[in-house]
Amino acid sequence: MNMRIVVANVNTTESITEAIRGQAEKAARPGTEILAVTPSFGAPSVEGNFESYLAAVAVMDRVTAVTEPFDAVVLAGFGEHGKEGLAELFDVPVVDITEAAAHLACLLGRRYSVVTSLRRTTGQIHDRLRLAGLDSHCASVRATGMPVLDLEGDLERTGARLVEEAEHAVESDGAEVICLGCAGMAGLAEHVQDRAGVPVVDGVPAAIGLAQTLVEQGLSTSKAGSWASPLPKDITGWPIGG
Amino acid sequence: MNMRIVVANVNTTESITEAIRGQAEKAARPGTEILAVTPSFGAPSVEGNFESYLAAVAVMDRVTAVTEPFDAVVLAGFGEHGKEGLAELFDVPVVDITEAAAHLACLLGRRYSVVTSLRRTTGQIHDRLRLAGLDSHCASVRATGMPVLDLEGDLERTGARLVEEAEHAVESDGAEVICLGCAGMAGLAEHVQDRAGVPVVDGVPAAIGLAQTLVEQGLSTSKAGSWASPLPKDITGWPIGG
Amino acid sequence: MNMRIVVANVNTTESITEAIRGQAEKAARPGTEILAVTPSFGAPSVEGNFESYLAAVAVMDRVTAVTEPFDAVVLAGFGEHGKEGLAELFDVPVVDITEAAAHLACLLGRRYSVVTSLRRTTGQIHDRLRLAGLDSHCASVRATGMPVLDLEGDLERTGARLVEEAEHAVESDGAEVICLGCAGMAGLAEHVQDRAGVPVVDGVPAAIGLAQTLVEQGLSTSKAGSWASPLPKDITGWPIGG
Amino acid sequence: MNMRIVVANVNTTESITEAIRGQAEKAARPGTEILAVTPSFGAPSVEGNFESYLAAVAVMDRVTAVTEPFDAVVLAGFGEHGKEGLAELFDVPVVDITEAAAHLACLLGRRYSVVTSLRRTTGQIHDRLRLAGLDSHCASVRATGMPVLDLEGDLERTGARLVEEAEHAVESDGAEVICLGCAGMAGLAEHVQDRAGVPVVDGVPAAIGLAQTLVEQGLSTSKAGSWASPLPKDITGWPIGG
Amino acid sequence: MNMRIVVANVNTTESITEAIRGQAEKAARPGTEILAVTPSFGAPSVEGNFESYLAAVAVMDRVTAVTEPFDAVVLAGFGEHGKEGLAELFDVPVVDITEAAAHLACLLGRRYSVVTSLRRTTGQIHDRLRLAGLDSHCASVRATGMPVLDLEGDLERTGARLVEEAEHAVESDGAEVICLGCAGMAGLAEHVQDRAGVPVVDGVPAAIGLAQTLVEQGLSTSKAGSWASPLPKDITGWPIGG
Amino acid sequence: MNMRIVVANVNTTESITEAIRGQAEKAARPGTEILAVTPSFGAPSVEGNFESYLAAVAVMDRVTAVTEPFDAVVLAGFGEHGKEGLAELFDVPVVDITEAAAHLACLLGRRYSVVTSLRRTTGQIHDRLRLAGLDSHCASVRATGMPVLDLEGDLERTGARLVEEAEHAVESDGAEVICLGCAGMAGLAEHVQDRAGVPVVDGVPAAIGLAQTLVEQGLSTSKAGSWASPLPKDITGWPIGG
């Protein structure tokens, strides 16, 4: 089945978009085209609520500007705001990488932990998992203390820190599965999995896999309730980037 | 104690800002100045997630543009996104009217219900209450089916519908207190309270009361964790309205 | 990617196995082979805990007897016992259709309901969803009152009853998505979706989609915790069917 | 607005009443009169359930004996029984300092901890927070191990122990706000706040602030449900102190 | 095994004590002596928090005055305060009839409902079940609307109302077991059980059964934590009745 | 009252059945006959889900084969599957030792911990407690790391490890009561209780005590809902052992 999936980075940094695109393409089946987009305004790296709300709008703005038809949207920011807005705006399935990673993790073990960048983002991740109804199997959300933009810089050090926190999660928190909690960690899942000895789920491929499944089965966002299309209105200053 | 409180409407409709200002001023103590602001972009009435995320950013944008010093911020949208972003951006207390109403309601009875405008917003209100840790005493969130902009139009009809749903909440859901779930219902609390026979909490005065208390007691947002100030970064295209 | 998925019916009725196989094959991608199996002992239709425990063992017994290599197992019984046992026995991913349906449903709306056969099975379904950590978004589990073996008999009547309960779930319980809660309802999703106006998820295709995704991404059950392989022991009378 | 607030110490020790009065008066606005009362029977310091139930009745007894008109009641015992009884007896708002502290703490950060006197009281505090629906944001309840009557004795040592436990709460439990969990800690909030680097909420001023807000806004306990006035009955031996 | 169990009525009405004694003696094994006591002060019937707190103290006071040695205490008030105080005061097991009924109910079915007297007491019952950790299987707490003192008056009418509410609980709320939610309903369990077709648990016999089991097995209240003996102190005005 | 209780070991090891019988007989009242049975197939020691599901069926099979009339069934495996199946099959009360221990523990303190054999079983125990609605007071489930069959071998070492974990549970997790989490620990309760200083509940005597209470009071499993008798059907290959 041929389909096009828009994958929206929440950060304005192009190299992160490229890393996300790479991970998404590896997870894509033959016939699935990946269209990775970068928001036209916002923070180079999203590490907090102010930046995340801004990214939520910037991503809605950027995906609205896509001119090609598409079959699904992936929100490629871990623990970020905005999914419900995208779900309202489009008729195609919208998959958030936070939820996608946690859904697959739940299939693989009794409890999972998330390993993320800075401690300041852990509360936000907990909140997103809670709203998604996926918190009861979450053993912990742990931070490496590394800012998003440093993650790509020294992959060896990043990998070592991820393994360290993953091992703490397994030994102290009872995690049986690890989710990589940052789009900027793209590509490190296998490395961590080999060393920590438990399955490691990366959000971007997880979301691509789920989006493909939904599209193949003809399933899309319910328009009968919370995520119904916006009522027709004059919205001042929207779209923003246009 | 003298103080200035910025009260931010989430809708771009000025008449709602005026109604909010009126309610806020009635709740203000001598020495408290109310500065009611309207976002410079967004929806005339916020009724869903897309519009609410846009309002979250528009409100952050608008409050950032305030040039007078201020002592607290009130987010005057019921069930809307954005509070955590404001909490990060400013050093003064930020009070959301959803939370404010529910906090006071919990002091007044064992369970409370929210009566709001459209059914499509009830899930969002539930989510905000859940994130705020205030859901366990929430008996129900009921919708009148009236759009925000119609609420002001025929106050008699609005009042009658509010009373009707409030009575259902008391009789069927076990509510002992009612929260008015829309900034556009400003001023109807007394009307509903008299008829429904239970205390009715309006979010705007509730938030003003809490904000004044926090300022008087020298309490402000914790900067040691989830709502720490944003890290210094070049944010492209911010502020938006400027 | 070529793979073989074992799909295990929990009932001993071959026609149900055939219906399951049909649904699984429709959801299978090119290169995915479906191997549908029927337990060699147990109840013709599983409608309760005694029968379900028996089926749990009969399914473990039957899948152990599969001689071809396989890449994933799907447990095709809604709300049934046994998933954790299969997860221990095999090194490949094991996907339960109850969990699969609920995982996809959570991606499509804020709350979902399950419509199943007899009322006596609703508690068991609630329990499985609770253990899987998927109960917080479950609006209700509703029974049509039709026994499993009657579902296939008069598809028109079955469809009508499903639509009726789905509509109650949407209107009274706040469901935005429906899960068909019985493997014997295979093939009716589209019918219900068209009439109820909300997405309808069928467990068998949902599980096939998830299993394919896990296999493609090299993910399998964590062996570091609750679902580690059984310790080597002399098990008296096992396998049972052999 | 002029008002009189009765603040009821739960301990029979007058010096604690004086400390509470001091804190209350600092939080009172011009026009608010504080009437601090001490129960006429019970324990010098309440540290457990037996003593707390006794205090619940002694406080109801003492407040019933107040002859001046009053506008609100504050129950100045942290984690103590009795609030619902007071709420039934009087037509004015009743604010418990446990709840008051936690309500304000929730406005200031994502999670709060309580630091209290003896470990034996921590379960009771957890229970009161749970009943008040305020437990989901409670990171921990920590004990200093200091009896209530020792807290006043060596303020320096008390302050040091409070800071120590507050720091553990922030670092190990994820607290972003601290509540002082004992009326006998009155006046130490600023000291701890300066050292621990997070907002510190003291229950007595918090309760005064909330009580003033409720009175100003004409809100009082719902009499339509759980806290309706007691039915007229002959109560043997009541009032007790009279 | 010979033992003496003190059964404390919370109401000052002797005829209720007699009814409780009768039920307790029917549940007592040979060798178990029942010592039923009535508080020396308080309300003739306890129907609310004020009266319940008073009863909590009156019961502690009355049991403290018992001069015979005893092996267990049963608190015979449904949904009433005071159990933790008794647990601190005595070295023998203390069993509350609310908890006892719910514990046995959980053994008999997946969900239970409580049928009680007045609606005003339902919140209090919910709270006690929640604190006891027994609320997750509670389907509902329903009120007959009959005051406690009327229950004994017209047993036929009382029985009919109980059956009516029990049937609603089974049909509408999914209850599979009923608990009689008032000590004043003593002796009606069989009547309701025969008509409603589900097991009906009466709190007094349930508590006697549990108390006997604990005593036989040498188990008593943990003194290592929340219910440790009160610290030695001068308690003014205690005991009250003495 | 004369009665016969069937106590079903889940392991095929006869010496464990004997130990269980011993504990059961010590807890039995005069007139209560214990009939301890061993499954005819399955694992010598049950330590995981595969073995536990097999045991669930083997126990149902074995109890079905009992020819003497009996008044109650005790499922003597800690944290094992199968209780609901037994509850459907028989008209007499069925008591699981996991639930029995936790029910009694809740009467004795505010929080309890379970100390069990291998870490791999802790998740399963948590799940059973959760389904039974008894998890909210569970402070922790701790593993000694000792396989079931080693527990009997060196009672001194087993006792020492149990005490060690019990002490950790009390000091670090806030447990006030300990449950022995394995039928193979029969007889060690007193030893641990003496050293750990908190009440220790052993599941087998707890279940015998509860079963006797239910039988005496004429209470049995509700047949109106989840645990109704199986519908009449031709079950292939059942009974298995026959």
Side-chain angles (χ1 to χ4, degrees):
Chain A
M1 190 178 205
N2 289 336
M3 70 180 79
R4 181 181 290 118
I5 301 178
V6 175
V7 183
N9 185 8
V10 297
N11 314 284
T12 60
T13 302
E14 285 287 350
S15 63
I16 297 181
T17 308
E18 287 317 301
I20 288 170
R21 183 203 313 280
Q23 285 308 105
E25 287 180 343
K26 277 177 62 179
R29 289 168 200 139
T32 296
E33 182 192 336
I34 300 300
L35 185 61
V37 298
T38 310
S40 67
F41 59 93
S45 62
V46 175
E47 292 161 324
N49 284 284
F50 156 59
E51 295 164 7
S52 183
Y53 277 120
L54 195 55
V57 170
V59 162
M60 292 194 294
D61 184 70
R62 181 63 190 84
V63 179
T64 298
V66 169
T67 52
E68 300 92 330
F70 52 88
D71 301 285
V73 178
V74 166
L75 176 60
F78 207 93
E80 306 305 348
H81 299 288
K83 189 249 171 144
E84 309 93 326
L86 289 166
E88 285 179 10
L89 282 179
F90 304 105
D91 286 334
V92 300
V94 175
V95 182
D96 172 78
I97 66 168
T98 328
E99 298 176 17
H103 280 298
L104 293 197
C106 286
L107 296 172
L108 301 171
R110 209 178 149 276
R111 284 161 75 81
Y112 68 91
S113 285
V114 174
V115 182
T116 189
S117 54
L118 298 183
R119 186 168 169 183
R120 67 175 291 154
T121 68
T122 57
Q124 207 177 314
I125 291 172
H126 270 300
D127 283 356
R128 292 306 299 183
L129 292 172
R130 190 169 201 199
L131 282 191
L134 291 162
D135 53 330
S136 73
H137 283 211
C138 179
S140 57
V141 178
R142 285 179 166 268
T144 58
M146 302 176 75
V148 173
L149 294 183
D150 286 10
L151 294 171
E152 291 184 304
D154 182 346
L155 275 183
E156 203 167 322
R157 186 166 158 253
T158 303
R161 282 293 294 126
L162 287 175
V163 171
E164 197 177 343
E165 288 302 324
E167 285 171 350
H168 283 313
V170 171
E171 279 152 37
S172 308
D173 309 334
E176 305 183 353
V177 182
I178 298 295
C179 294
L180 296 188
C182 178
M185 292 170 182
L188 285 164
E190 204 177 336
H191 175 88
V192 182
Q193 185 164 307
D194 288 351
R195 278 153 192 81
V198 295
V200 176
V201 183
D202 190 355
V204 172
I208 297 294
L210 288 170
Q212 289 178 126
T213 294
L214 294 175
V215 173
E216 284 170 0
Q217 302 193 2
L219 292 167
S220 190
T221 306
S222 178
K223 291 295 169 182
S226 303
W227 303 333
S229 302
L231 300 172
K233 283 180 197 174
D234 282 331
I235 310 282
T236 314
W238 176 262
I240 289 173
Chain B
M1 190 178 206
N2 288 337
M3 69 181 82
R4 182 182 290 118
I5 301 178
V6 174
V7 183
N9 185 7
V10 297
N11 314 284
T12 59
T13 303
E14 285 287 351
S15 64
I16 299 180
T17 307
E18 287 316 302
I20 288 169
R21 183 203 313 279
Q23 287 307 107
E25 286 179 345
K26 277 176 60 180
R29 289 168 200 139
T32 296
E33 180 192 337
I34 300 300
L35 184 62
V37 299
T38 310
S40 66
F41 59 94
S45 61
V46 175
E47 293 161 324
N49 284 284
F50 156 60
E51 295 164 7
S52 183
Y53 277 121
L54 195 54
V57 170
V59 163
M60 292 193 294
D61 184 71
R62 182 64 190 84
V63 179
T64 298
V66 169
T67 52
E68 299 91 332
F70 52 86
D71 300 285
V73 178
V74 166
L75 176 60
F78 207 93
E80 307 305 348
H81 299 287
K83 189 248 171 145
E84 309 94 324
L86 290 166
E88 285 180 10
L89 282 177
F90 304 105
D91 285 336
V92 300
V94 175
V95 181
D96 172 79
I97 64 167
T98 329
E99 299 176 17
H103 280 298
L104 293 198
C106 286
L107 296 172
L108 301 171
R110 209 179 149 274
R111 285 160 74 81
Y112 68 91
S113 285
V114 175
V115 182
T116 188
S117 54
L118 300 183
R119 188 170 168 179
R120 66 175 293 153
T121 69
T122 56
Q124 206 176 316
I125 291 172
H126 270 299
D127 283 356
R128 292 305 300 182
L129 291 172
R130 191 169 201 200
L131 283 191
L134 291 162
D135 53 329
S136 73
H137 283 211
C138 178
S140 58
V141 179
R142 287 180 165 269
T144 58
M146 301 176 76
V148 174
L149 295 183
D150 287 10
L151 294 171
E152 292 183 302
D154 181 348
L155 275 184
E156 200 166 325
R157 188 168 155 252
T158 302
R161 283 291 295 125
L162 287 175
V163 170
E164 195 177 344
E165 289 301 323
E167 285 171 350
H168 282 314
V170 171
E171 279 153 37
S172 308
D173 308 334
E176 306 182 353
V177 182
I178 298 294
C179 294
L180 297 187
C182 178
M185 293 167 181
L188 287 163
E190 204 175 337
H191 176 89
V192 182
Q193 185 164 304
D194 288 349
R195 279 153 192 79
V198 294
V200 175
V201 183
D202 190 354
V204 171
I208 297 294
L210 288 170
Q212 288 179 129
T213 294
L214 294 176
V215 172
E216 284 171 359
Q217 303 194 1
L219 292 167
S220 189
T221 307
S222 178
K223 292 294 169 182
S226 303
W227 303 333
S229 301
L231 300 172
K233 283 179 196 175
D234 283 331
I235 310 282
T236 313
W238 177 260
I240 288 173
Chain C
M1 191 178 205
N2 289 336
M3 70 181 79
R4 180 181 292 119
I5 300 178
V6 175
V7 183
N9 185 7
V10 297
N11 315 284
T12 60
T13 302
E14 284 288 350
S15 63
I16 298 181
T17 308
E18 287 317 301
I20 289 169
R21 183 203 313 280
Q23 286 307 105
E25 286 180 344
K26 277 176 62 178
R29 286 166 201 141
T32 295
E33 180 191 337
I34 299 300
L35 184 62
V37 298
T38 310
S40 65
F41 59 93
S45 61
V46 175
E47 293 162 322
N49 284 284
F50 156 59
E51 294 164 9
S52 183
Y53 277 120
L54 195 54
V57 170
V59 162
M60 292 194 294
D61 183 71
R62 182 64 191 82
V63 179
T64 298
V66 169
T67 52
E68 299 93 331
F70 52 86
D71 300 285
V73 178
V74 166
L75 176 60
F78 207 94
E80 306 305 348
H81 299 288
K83 190 248 172 149
E84 310 93 326
L86 289 166
E88 284 180 10
L89 282 178
F90 304 105
D91 286 335
V92 301
V94 175
V95 182
D96 172 78
I97 65 168
T98 328
E99 299 176 17
H103 280 298
L104 294 197
C106 286
L107 296 171
L108 301 170
R110 207 177 151 278
R111 284 161 75 81
Y112 67 91
S113 284
V114 174
V115 182
T116 188
S117 54
L118 299 182
R119 186 170 170 181
R120 65 175 293 153
T121 68
T122 57
Q124 207 176 315
I125 291 172
H126 269 300
D127 282 356
R128 292 306 299 182
L129 292 171
R130 190 168 201 202
L131 283 191
L134 292 161
D135 53 330
S136 73
H137 283 211
C138 179
S140 58
V141 179
R142 285 178 166 269
T144 57
M146 301 176 76
V148 173
L149 295 182
D150 287 9
L151 294 171
E152 291 184 304
D154 181 346
L155 275 183
E156 202 165 323
R157 188 168 155 253
T158 303
R161 282 293 295 125
L162 287 175
V163 170
E164 197 177 343
E165 288 302 324
E167 285 171 350
H168 282 314
V170 171
E171 279 152 37
S172 309
D173 309 334
E176 305 183 353
V177 183
I178 298 294
C179 294
L180 297 187
C182 178
M185 292 169 181
L188 287 163
E190 205 175 336
H191 175 89
V192 182
Q193 185 164 305
D194 288 350
R195 279 152 193 81
V198 294
V200 175
V201 183
D202 190 353
V204 172
I208 296 294
L210 288 170
Q212 288 178 128
T213 295
L214 294 176
V215 173
E216 283 170 2
Q217 303 194 2
L219 291 167
S220 190
T221 307
S222 178
K223 291 295 169 182
S226 302
W227 302 334
S229 302
L231 300 172
K233 282 179 196 174
D234 283 331
I235 310 283
T236 312
W238 176 261
I240 288 173
Chain D
M1 190 177 205
N2 288 336
M3 69 181 80
R4 180 181 291 117
I5 301 178
V6 175
V7 183
N9 185 7
V10 297
N11 313 283
T12 60
T13 302
E14 285 287 351
S15 64
I16 299 180
T17 307
E18 287 316 301
I20 289 168
R21 183 204 314 277
Q23 286 308 105
E25 287 180 344
K26 277 175 61 179
R29 289 168 201 138
T32 296
E33 180 192 337
I34 300 299
L35 184 61
V37 298
T38 309
S40 66
F41 58 94
S45 62
V46 175
E47 292 160 324
N49 283 284
F50 155 59
E51 295 164 7
S52 183
Y53 277 120
L54 195 54
V57 170
V59 163
M60 292 193 295
D61 183 71
R62 182 64 190 85
V63 180
T64 298
V66 169
T67 52
E68 299 92 331
F70 52 88
D71 300 285
V73 178
V74 166
L75 176 60
F78 207 94
E80 305 307 348
H81 299 288
K83 189 245 171 151
E84 309 93 324
L86 289 167
E88 286 179 10
L89 282 178
F90 304 105
D91 285 336
V92 300
V94 175
V95 182
D96 172 77
I97 65 168
T98 328
E99 299 176 16
H103 280 298
L104 293 198
C106 287
L107 296 171
L108 301 171
R110 207 178 150 275
R111 283 159 76 80
Y112 68 91
S113 284
V114 174
V115 182
T116 188
S117 54
L118 299 183
R119 187 170 170 181
R120 67 175 293 154
T121 68
T122 57
Q124 206 177 316
I125 292 172
H126 270 299
D127 282 356
R128 292 306 300 183
L129 292 171
R130 190 168 202 200
L131 283 191
L134 292 161
D135 53 329
S136 73
H137 283 213
C138 178
S140 57
V141 179
R142 285 179 166 268
T144 58
M146 301 176 76
V148 173
L149 294 184
D150 287 10
L151 294 171
E152 292 184 302
D154 181 347
L155 275 183
E156 200 166 325
R157 185 164 160 256
T158 303
R161 283 292 295 126
L162 287 175
V163 170
E164 197 177 344
E165 288 302 323
E167 285 171 349
H168 282 313
V170 171
E171 279 152 38
S172 308
D173 308 335
E176 306 183 352
V177 182
I178 298 295
C179 294
L180 296 188
C182 178
M185 293 169 181
L188 286 164
E190 204 176 336
H191 175 88
V192 182
Q193 184 163 307
D194 289 349
R195 279 152 191 81
V198 294
V200 175
V201 183
D202 191 354
V204 171
I208 297 294
L210 289 170
Q212 287 178 129
T213 295
L214 294 175
V215 172
E216 284 171 359
Q217 304 195 0
L219 292 167
S220 190
T221 306
S222 178
K223 291 294 168 184
S226 303
W227 303 333
S229 301
L231 300 172
K233 284 179 196 174
D234 282 331
I235 311 282
T236 313
W238 177 260
I240 289 173
Chain E
M1 191 177 204
N2 288 337
M3 69 181 80
R4 181 181 291 118
I5 302 178
V6 174
V7 183
N9 185 9
V10 298
N11 314 285
T12 60
T13 302
E14 285 287 352
S15 64
I16 299 181
T17 307
E18 287 316 302
I20 289 169
R21 183 204 313 279
Q23 285 309 105
E25 286 180 345
K26 276 175 62 179
R29 287 165 202 140
T32 297
E33 180 193 339
I34 300 300
L35 184 61
V37 297
T38 310
S40 66
F41 59 94
S45 62
V46 176
E47 293 161 322
N49 284 284
F50 156 59
E51 295 163 7
S52 183
Y53 277 120
L54 195 55
V57 170
V59 163
M60 292 194 294
D61 184 70
R62 182 63 191 84
V63 180
T64 298
V66 169
T67 52
E68 300 92 332
F70 52 86
D71 301 285
V73 178
V74 166
L75 177 60
F78 207 93
E80 306 305 349
H81 299 289
K83 188 247 172 146
E84 311 93 325
L86 289 167
E88 285 180 11
L89 281 179
F90 304 105
D91 286 334
V92 301
V94 175
V95 181
D96 172 79
I97 65 168
T98 329
E99 299 176 16
H103 281 298
L104 293 198
C106 286
L107 296 171
L108 301 172
R110 208 178 149 276
R111 284 160 76 80
Y112 68 92
S113 285
V114 174
V115 182
T116 188
S117 54
L118 299 183
R119 187 171 169 182
R120 66 175 292 153
T121 68
T122 57
Q124 205 176 317
I125 291 173
H126 270 299
D127 282 357
R128 291 306 301 182
L129 292 171
R130 191 169 200 201
L131 283 191
L134 292 162
D135 53 329
S136 73
H137 283 211
C138 179
S140 58
V141 179
R142 285 179 166 269
T144 58
M146 300 176 76
V148 173
L149 294 183
D150 287 10
L151 294 171
E152 293 183 301
D154 182 346
L155 275 183
E156 200 166 326
R157 188 168 156 254
T158 303
R161 282 293 294 124
L162 287 175
V163 170
E164 196 177 344
E165 288 302 323
E167 284 170 351
H168 282 314
V170 171
E171 278 152 38
S172 307
D173 308 334
E176 305 183 353
V177 183
I178 298 295
C179 293
L180 297 188
C182 178
M185 294 169 180
L188 287 163
E190 203 176 338
H191 175 89
V192 182
Q193 185 163 306
D194 288 350
R195 278 152 192 81
V198 294
V200 175
V201 183
D202 189 353
V204 172
I208 296 294
L210 288 170
Q212 288 178 129
T213 294
L214 294 176
V215 173
E216 284 171 0
Q217 303 194 2
L219 292 167
S220 189
T221 307
S222 178
K223 290 294 168 181
S226 303
W227 302 333
S229 301
L231 300 172
K233 285 179 195 173
D234 282 332
I235 311 281
T236 313
W238 178 260
I240 290 173
Chain F
M1 190 178 206
N2 288 336
M3 69 180 80
R4 182 182 290 120
I5 301 178
V6 175
V7 183
N9 185 7
V10 297
N11 314 284
T12 60
T13 301
E14 284 287 351
S15 63
I16 298 180
T17 307
E18 288 316 303
I20 288 169
R21 183 204 313 279
Q23 286 307 104
E25 287 179 345
K26 277 174 62 179
R29 288 167 200 138
T32 296
E33 180 191 339
I34 300 300
L35 184 62
V37 298
T38 310
S40 66
F41 58 94
S45 61
V46 175
E47 292 161 323
N49 284 284
F50 155 59
E51 294 163 7
S52 183
Y53 277 121
L54 195 54
V57 171
V59 162
M60 293 194 294
D61 184 70
R62 182 65 189 84
V63 180
T64 299
V66 168
T67 51
E68 299 92 331
F70 52 87
D71 300 284
V73 178
V74 166
L75 177 59
F78 207 94
E80 307 304 349
H81 300 289
K83 189 249 172 145
E84 309 93 326
L86 289 167
E88 285 179 11
L89 282 177
F90 305 105
D91 284 336
V92 299
V94 175
V95 182
D96 172 78
I97 64 168
T98 327
E99 299 176 17
H103 281 298
L104 293 198
C106 287
L107 296 171
L108 301 171
R110 208 178 149 275
R111 284 161 74 81
Y112 67 91
S113 286
V114 175
V115 182
T116 188
S117 54
L118 300 182
R119 187 170 168 181
R120 66 175 294 154
T121 68
T122 56
Q124 206 176 316
I125 291 172
H126 270 299
D127 283 357
R128 292 305 301 183
L129 292 171
R130 190 169 201 199
L131 283 191
L134 292 162
D135 53 330
S136 73
H137 283 212
C138 179
S140 57
V141 179
R142 286 180 165 268
T144 58
M146 300 177 76
V148 173
L149 294 183
D150 287 11
L151 294 171
E152 292 183 303
D154 181 346
L155 275 183
E156 201 166 324
R157 189 170 155 250
T158 301
R161 282 292 295 125
L162 287 175
V163 170
E164 197 177 344
E165 289 301 323
E167 285 171 349
H168 282 314
V170 171
E171 278 152 38
S172 308
D173 308 335
E176 304 183 354
V177 183
I178 299 294
C179 295
L180 296 189
C182 178
M185 292 169 182
L188 287 163
E190 203 177 337
H191 176 89
V192 182
Q193 185 162 307
D194 289 349
R195 279 154 191 80
V198 294
V200 175
V201 183
D202 190 354
V204 172
I208 296 294
L210 289 169
Q212 288 178 127
T213 295
L214 294 175
V215 172
E216 284 171 359
Q217 303 194 2
L219 292 166
S220 190
T221 307
S222 177
K223 291 295 169 183
S226 303
W227 303 333
S229 302
L231 300 172
K233 284 179 196 176
D234 282 331
I235 310 282
T236 313
W238 177 259
I240 289 173

